């Protein structure tokens, strides 16, 4: 019976997943159909605009050519009219002279005839008819303004849609996810020397498999990529996966998208748990700051003996009242001199990494992990349920590892930012200089319960960076060092505090 129920549960889970997959595909088809309709309408509008532009250019060219023909016609007409006018004047003068010469033949008196003859000779010499060119200045030929658009007609007949680049292919094997960076590599299905650049689009998601249409973030675009790979660095991995797609572009148009690829970007993400933090701590999601006025005004006072045994320097003790109802979580609020705040996400398996940066004037702080059973008066490192490194800048400067109320002084410089590596299954907690990846200290133990990131701060503040993969340098150091440097067992030989 039980085995049949388990088998039926598996079948139900498989069917539910398949139904979800089919529904997502239907949503994708509807989205694609809507896109076809919208894009077709846009393309038709663009086609009308392009042809209207061609018609406009042809009309402008036609008008210009018509003006050229009319200007040439006017020029030649003016030249010929001028010649005709000059010839008419010359002919009129010549006919008048001819008539005078003809009449002079009838003169009988020799002296008078001789005088007339000299006048005729002088007038003939000066007559415009003999200086006039009888060749037309222009011809009636207009062939130099004729046109032949046969080539242009052939060219117009070859008008076609733009050549679109084929869709690239993303190679998941060549893609790399490491150190909060993602390198995406792709190739073209065939060589295309007209490709000018590529466009890469990406978005975060918590769904494996094909990208979903609904309930997803918008695609982020990276344009003008000249090569066939691109690296996104400095990412915060606050989702389980990232979708990627790429398209090729020539000088005129972008091609089809590649098939989308989903890459896993899993990392530990957590915030600080304000519901159980000490009242003297001002807590936001990834920041905590000492607030000496945070516990004042409460009606009930905690007893002085509850603060006894603390080695952490503190200002004048602030009265705090009873714990208010917790918004989340089920543990008591830290009180007394346990100026502690825990993360809101438990670590139950795997390897995880986060970083912590203290304010420059922070007088005292601790960074580490603790079981959920850490008492509300307990300080990090003072019980066998917590492990930490502690920085003290009050009165004297100390840097030490703490566990089970035992201390190991660290002969290294306190870094600007501390990286925390927790290997739950391997029972290892290591601290690094987050910038140089120098190992500061490692605890080797066996975690018997889920652990929570833990933080203590007094007179200052801490800021937290999560959503980080275990850095490659840390993984390499873990392998080479075997995680044994400064093991927790060494704390058994030091004096308790």
């Amino acid at each position: 019976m039980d085995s049949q129920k388990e088998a039926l549960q598996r079948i139900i889970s498989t069917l539910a997943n398949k139904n979800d997959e089919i529904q997502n595909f239907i949503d994708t088809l509807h989205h694609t159909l809507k896109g076809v309709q919208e894009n077709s309408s846009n393309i038709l509008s663009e086609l009308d605009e392009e042809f209207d532009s061609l018609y406009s250019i042809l009309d402008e060219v036609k008008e210009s050519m018509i003006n050229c023909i009319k200007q040439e016609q006017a020029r030649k007409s003016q030249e010929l009219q001028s010649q005709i006018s000059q010839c008419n004047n010359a002919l009129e003068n010549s006919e008048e002279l001819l008539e005078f010469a003809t009449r002079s033949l009838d003169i009988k008196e020799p002296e008078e005839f001789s005088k007339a003859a000299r006048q005729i000779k002088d007038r003939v010499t000066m007559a415009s008819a003999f200086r006039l060119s009888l060749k037309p200045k222009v011809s009636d030929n207009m062939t130099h303004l004729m046109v032949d658009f046969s080539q242009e007609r052939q060219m117009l007949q070859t008008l076609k849609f733009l050549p679109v680049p084929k869709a690239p292919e993303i190679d998941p094997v060549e893609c790399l996810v490491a150190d909060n960076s993602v390198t995406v590599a792709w190739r073209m299905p065939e060589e295309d020397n007209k490709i000018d650049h590529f466009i890469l689009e990406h978005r975060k998601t918590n769904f494996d498999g094909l990208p979903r249409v609904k309930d997803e973030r918008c695609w982020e675009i990276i344009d003008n990529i000249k090569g066939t790979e691109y690296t996104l660095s400095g990412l915060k991995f606050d989702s389980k996966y990232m979708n990627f797609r790429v398209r090729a572009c020539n000088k005129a148009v972008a091609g089809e998208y590649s098939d989308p690829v989903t890459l896993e970007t899993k990392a530990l993400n957590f915030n600080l748990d304000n519901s159980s933090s000490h009242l003297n701590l001002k807590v936001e999601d990834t920041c905590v700051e000492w607030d000496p006025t945070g516990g004042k005004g409460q009606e009930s006072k905690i007893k002085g003996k509850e603060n006894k045994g603390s080695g952490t320097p503190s200002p004048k003790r602030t009265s705090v009242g009873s714990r208010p109802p917790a918004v989340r979580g089920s543990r008591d609020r830290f009180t007394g001199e346990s100026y502690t705040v825990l993360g809101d996400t438990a670590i139950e398996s795997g390897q995880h990494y986060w970083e912590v940066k203290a304010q420059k004037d922070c007088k005292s702080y601790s960074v580490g992990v603790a079981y959920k059973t850490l008492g509300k008066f307990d300080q990090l490192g003072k019980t066998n349920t917590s492990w930490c490194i502690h920085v003290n800048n009050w009165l004297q400067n100390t840097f030490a590892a703490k566990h089970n109320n035992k201390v190991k002084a660290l002969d290294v410089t306190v870094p600007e930012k501390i990286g925390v590596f927790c290997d739950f299954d391997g029972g290892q907690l290591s601290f690094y200089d987050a910038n140089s990846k120098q190992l500061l200290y490692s605890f080797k133990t066996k975690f018997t319960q889920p652990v929570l990131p833990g933080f203590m701060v007094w007179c200052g503040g801490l800021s937290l960076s999560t959503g980080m993969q275990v850095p490659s340098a840390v993984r390499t150091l873990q392998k080479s060092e075997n995680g044994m440097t400064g093991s927790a067992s060494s704390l058994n030989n030091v004096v308790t505090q």
Side-chain angles (χ1 to χ4, degrees):
M1 184 72 174
D2 290 339
S3 61
Q4 289 180 329
K5 283 187 176 181
E6 290 179 2
L8 185 57
Q9 286 291 347
R10 288 194 295 269
I11 292 173
I12 292 173
S13 177
T14 301
L15 287 173
N17 290 336
K18 177 55 68 175
N19 290 347
D20 185 60
E21 183 180 349
I22 293 173
Q23 184 59 54
N24 178 50
F25 184 61
I26 291 173
D27 293 339
T28 301
L29 291 177
H30 282 299
H31 181 75
T32 303
L33 177 60
K34 182 180 178 181
V36 167
Q37 294 169 344
E38 292 178 352
N39 292 335
S40 297
S41 177
N42 292 337
I43 289 297
L44 286 173
S45 297
E46 291 180 5
L47 185 65
D48 284 339
E49 290 178 3
E50 289 294 327
F51 271 97
D52 288 343
S53 177
L54 281 177
Y55 299 150
S56 176
I57 292 173
L58 288 173
D59 287 340
E60 290 177 2
V61 172
K62 179 182 177 182
E63 186 67 25
S64 176
M65 287 183 166
I66 289 174
N67 288 335
C68 286
I69 294 172
K70 289 182 177 180
Q71 289 174 4
E72 184 69 356
Q73 177 189 7
R75 184 185 69 82
K76 287 192 172 187
S77 297
Q78 185 177 2
E79 290 284 355
L80 292 173
Q81 288 291 352
S82 176
Q83 276 195 290
I84 289 172
S85 178
Q86 292 175 1
C87 288
N88 284 333
N89 291 334
L91 179 60
E92 182 179 347
N93 292 334
S94 180
E95 286 176 346
E96 180 184 351
L97 182 59
L98 175 60
E99 183 181 355
F100 177 68
T102 301
R103 289 198 309 270
S104 297
L105 289 175
D106 297 332
I107 298 175
K108 303 298 185 182
E109 182 65 35
E111 185 176 345
E112 186 178 347
F113 180 80
S114 179
K115 181 180 177 182
R118 284 196 300 272
Q119 288 178 350
I120 292 170
K121 180 180 178 181
D122 290 341
R123 289 180 63 181
V124 167
T125 301
M126 299 297 295
S128 58
F130 294 96
R131 299 196 305 272
L132 189 68
S133 171
L134 300 181
K135 179 181 178 181
K137 290 184 177 180
V138 295
S139 70
D140 60 354
N141 183 23
M142 298 288 282
T143 56
H144 63 292
L145 295 177
M146 294 182 66
V147 295
D148 180 8
F149 291 146
S150 57
Q151 290 184 351
E152 286 78 3
R153 278 194 295 271
Q154 290 178 3
M155 183 178 68
L156 289 173
Q157 289 169 353
T158 62
L159 288 177
K160 56 184 179 182
F161 297 107
L162 289 170
V164 179
K166 293 185 179 297
E169 298 171 352
I170 298 178
D171 187 355
V173 177
E174 296 297 324
C175 296
L176 178 64
V177 181
D179 298 321
N180 283 78
S181 298
V182 179
T183 298
V184 185
W186 59 88
R187 58 175 175 266
M188 294 300 296
E190 59 186 48
E191 186 176 353
D192 186 349
N193 56 13
K194 293 185 178 180
I195 290 178
D196 179 68
H197 65 278
F198 296 92
I199 298 174
L200 176 66
E201 298 188 5
H202 63 91
R203 67 181 179 185
K204 296 178 179 180
T205 180
N206 286 314
F207 299 101
D208 193 5
L210 294 175
R212 296 171 178 252
V213 175
K214 295 181 178 179
D215 303 322
E216 285 286 15
R217 306 182 191 184
C218 295
W219 290 97
E220 296 185 42
I221 299 173
I222 302 172
D223 201 352
N224 202 33
I225 301 172
K226 296 299 183 180
T228 55
E229 73 170 38
Y230 188 85
T231 298
L232 291 87
S233 57
L235 299 172
K236 179 176 181 179
F237 288 166
D238 52 3
S239 63
K240 293 180 180 178
Y241 306 96
M242 288 184 70
N243 299 141
F244 295 90
R245 64 184 184 184
V246 66
R247 65 200 304 197
C249 305
N250 54 30
K251 290 289 187 181
V253 68
E256 292 281 350
Y257 285 108
S258 66
D259 289 335
V261 168
T262 301
L263 301 179
E264 187 176 23
T265 56
K266 187 166 59 176
L268 176 65
N269 283 273
F270 66 89
N271 291 324
L272 299 176
D273 184 7
N274 185 43
S275 69
S276 62
S277 62
H278 195 288
L279 287 174
N280 285 113
L281 298 181
K282 181 181 178 182
V283 177
E284 297 181 2
D285 287 343
T286 58
C287 297
V288 55
E289 190 170 354
W290 165 259
D291 181 8
T293 65
K296 291 183 177 180
Q298 302 295 332
E299 295 180 358
S300 59
K301 309 292 184 178
I302 61 170
K303 297 180 180 180
K305 63 179 182 180
E306 294 175 336
N307 296 325
K308 198 172 183 180
S310 171
T312 303
S314 64
K316 185 176 181 181
R317 293 177 182 173
T318 304
S319 298
V320 295
S322 58
R323 177 176 59 87
V327 178
R328 56 184 176 185
S330 60
R331 60 160 296 116
D332 291 332
R333 184 180 289 277
F334 289 101
T335 189
E337 292 188 353
S338 179
Y339 304 113
T340 303
V341 58
L342 300 177
D344 63 359
T345 302
I347 298 172
E348 300 180 353
S349 63
Q351 297 181 341
H352 306 280
Y353 180 85
W354 60 95
E355 294 180 351
V356 183
K357 183 176 182 180
Q359 293 177 354
K360 290 184 178 180
D361 59 349
C362 189
K363 289 185 171 59
S364 179
Y365 62 93
S366 298
V367 177
V369 299
Y371 290 152
K372 293 181 179 179
T373 56
L374 185 68
K376 65 178 182 179
F377 298 108
D378 294 335
Q379 297 182 19
L380 291 179
K382 295 226 168 187
T383 68
N384 62 357
T385 61
S386 61
W387 299 257
C388 73
I389 58 174
H390 176 73
V391 178
N392 179 31
N393 296 317
W394 176 254
L395 300 180
Q396 59 180 356
N397 295 332
T398 59
F399 187 26
K402 290 185 175 185
H403 171 63
N404 200 20
N405 209 26
K406 297 179 181 180
V407 178
K408 172 70 174 180
L410 303 181
D411 189 19
V412 290
T413 302
V414 178
E416 178 185 4
K417 185 184 293 186
I418 296 173
V420 184
F421 169 74
C422 180
D423 181 358
F424 185 90
D425 301 315
Q428 185 163 332
L429 179 68
S430 299
F431 301 90
Y432 292 87
D433 181 329
N435 295 325
S436 68
K437 298 303 183 286
Q438 175 192 0
L439 179 64
L440 304 174
Y441 192 80
S442 276
F443 291 101
K444 188 69 176 178
T445 186
K446 182 178 181 180
F447 296 118
T448 58
Q449 303 176 35
V451 296
L452 292 164
F455 310 88
M456 185 285 294
V457 61
W458 173 72
C459 286
L462 301 175
S463 59
L464 179 65
S465 297
T466 68
M468 304 182 72
Q469 288 184 306
V470 179
S472 300
V474 170
R475 291 187 184 277
T476 302
L477 282 169
Q478 287 297 316
K479 291 179 181 179
S480 61
E481 301 274 348
N482 289 323
M484 297 303 295
T485 302
S487 66
S489 60
S490 65
L491 292 180
N492 295 329
N493 300 322
V494 300
V495 179
T496 60
Q497 294 186 351

